[in-house]
Amino acid sequence: MPNSNAKLHSNHRGGREGSRRELVSRSLQSAQHCLENQDFGTAYAHYLLVLNLAPELKTTLKETFQFTLFKWAEELDSLARIQDLFNCYEQALELYPNDEVICNSMGEHLFRMGFRDEAAGYFHKAVKLNPDFADAKENFYRVANWLVERWHFIMLNDAKRNLTYLRAIENAVLSGSKSVLDIGTGTGILSMFAKKAGASSVYACELSKTMYELACDVVAANNMEREIKLLHLKSLDIEIPKHIPERVSLVVTETVDAGLFGEGIVESLIHAWEHLLLQPK
């Protein structure tokens, strides 16, 4: 009896495997037929089924799947079926999460629709996956011109201004302010000043996704990613101990520019003082 049961189970598994292979084969044939007839939507659905049933074919079908996805996405875009378009890219990225070409294409659609911050995230990911991917680099630099305000470059090259900030932060840390919060960190320069000055704990928040990712890269390039906690948050949304474990003794910011009230600096600093800053005794 045990041998009979084992044989029965083996036959059952063999039957399921045979059915899977047959379905994969028929779906592949249908997908190819649909491509020949430029029925990209149906072809995409067939390839999606094939890749979910037979993940071992991912490498073999990668370029054909990309082509089908991009053609179908163009049709969806022309029909203003935006949610369907995004759903297709999400499905594709579940299958190929580290595919720089799909990430770059998703970013291009987002950029054309006006979602520049989100587009920058996909372009940035594509460049990190493949630093030699010229199209993604060009797209990232293009969107960065929209998102990174010109005054960032002016400030970063203002040596006198930066030295003044550095000395002020050093004086505050030497006077006993050992935990620091940098509001609107931008490139992370003030956070790095605080850490170099000897602060034991440094936290930084940045609302812009593009600037947050840029700060992550800059901080990592300076080997401080384990010493500075970067948060993609508005300062008003920071909670203790959910996001940072303690009230800080010093708040720094360089959000003071011509757009003073547009930056929300007054509201942010009041919030930081009341909820995040250690109260004087």
Side-chain angles (χ1 to χ4, degrees):
M1 284 295 290
N3 289 336
S4 298
N5 288 335
K7 186 175 181 179
L8 183 63
H9 285 305
S10 177
N11 289 338
H12 182 62
R13 285 196 299 269
R16 284 190 301 178
E17 178 61 20
S19 298
R20 182 186 74 91
R21 289 180 179 176
E22 183 181 353
L23 180 56
V24 167
S25 177
R26 284 194 282 108
S27 293
L28 271 177
Q29 291 175 5
S30 298
Q32 291 162 1
H33 178 72
C34 290
L35 274 185
E36 291 170 2
N37 291 285
Q38 298 188 347
D39 183 359
F40 299 115
T42 308
Y44 171 79
H46 281 298
Y47 280 123
L48 201 62
L49 176 63
V50 168
L51 291 170
N52 277 288
L53 287 174
E56 67 272 14
L57 296 177
K58 283 184 180 180
T59 302
T60 304
L61 295 176
K62 182 177 178 179
E63 290 187 7
T64 306
F65 177 74
Q66 287 175 345
F67 173 81
T68 308
L69 167 66
F70 300 156
K71 286 294 186 180
W72 179 226
E74 287 176 8
E75 286 190 20
L76 291 173
D77 193 6
S78 67
L79 296 169
R81 292 171 57 183
I82 306 306
Q83 190 57 56
D84 289 335
L85 185 153
F86 288 154
N87 289 341
C88 286
Y89 273 96
E90 287 175 4
Q91 292 165 343
L93 287 169
E94 285 180 9
L95 290 169
Y96 297 97
N98 296 317
D99 189 287
E100 70 273 18
V101 178
I102 295 176
C103 287
N104 182 65
S105 180
M106 175 66 158
E108 289 175 338
H109 281 288
L110 286 165
F111 185 76
R112 285 196 296 270
M113 293 173 192
F115 300 106
R116 291 171 182 149
D117 209 41
E118 292 82 356
Y122 281 97
F123 293 145
H124 183 256
K125 182 179 179 180
V127 172
K128 294 199 80 170
L129 288 168
N130 182 2
D132 297 323
F133 189 8
D135 287 349
K137 286 198 290 187
E138 182 180 343
N139 284 331
F140 181 69
Y141 294 144
R142 180 161 55 104
V143 75
N145 285 331
W146 288 88
L147 295 173
V148 181
E149 295 87 342
R150 296 297 179 186
W151 50 267
H152 271 290
F153 300 107
I154 297 172
M155 289 192 303
L156 288 172
N157 287 284
D158 188 341
K160 182 177 180 180
R161 178 182 184 280
N162 293 335
L163 183 60
T164 301
Y165 265 110
L166 174 61
R167 287 174 177 168
I169 291 170
E170 285 177 339
N171 289 336
V173 172
L174 290 173
S175 298
S177 298
K178 296 299 184 181
S179 55
V180 180
L181 172 66
D182 180 5
I183 294 177
T185 191
T187 58
I189 188 171
L190 298 189
S191 296
M192 291 187 289
F193 282 172
K195 196 62 195 178
K196 287 182 178 179
S200 56
S201 303
V202 179
Y203 313 101
C205 63
E206 175 57 56
L207 184 58
S208 164
K209 185 176 181 181
T210 301
M211 293 307 300
Y212 164 76
E213 291 179 347
L214 178 61
C216 288
D217 286 346
V218 172
V219 168
N222 284 273
N223 299 314
M224 293 187 179
E225 65 269 29
R226 295 183 179 179
E227 300 174 315
I228 298 173
K229 183 173 182 179
L230 290 160
L231 302 166
H232 181 212
L233 284 173
K234 189 176 181 181
S235 61
L236 294 171
D237 296 331
I238 296 176
E239 299 178 16
I240 300 171
K242 181 178 179 180
H243 300 114
I244 61 176
E246 60 183 333
R247 289 175 179 261
V248 297
S249 51
L250 177 66
V251 171
V252 297
T253 186
E254 56 178 348
T255 51
V256 184
D257 76 313
L260 175 64
F261 295 101
E263 290 278 359
I265 185 174
V266 175
E267 184 181 20
S268 296
L269 290 178
I270 290 174
H271 174 270
W273 175 259
E274 291 179 345
H275 300 286
L276 303 173
L277 197 64
L278 286 169
Q279 298 297 321
K281 296 180 180 178

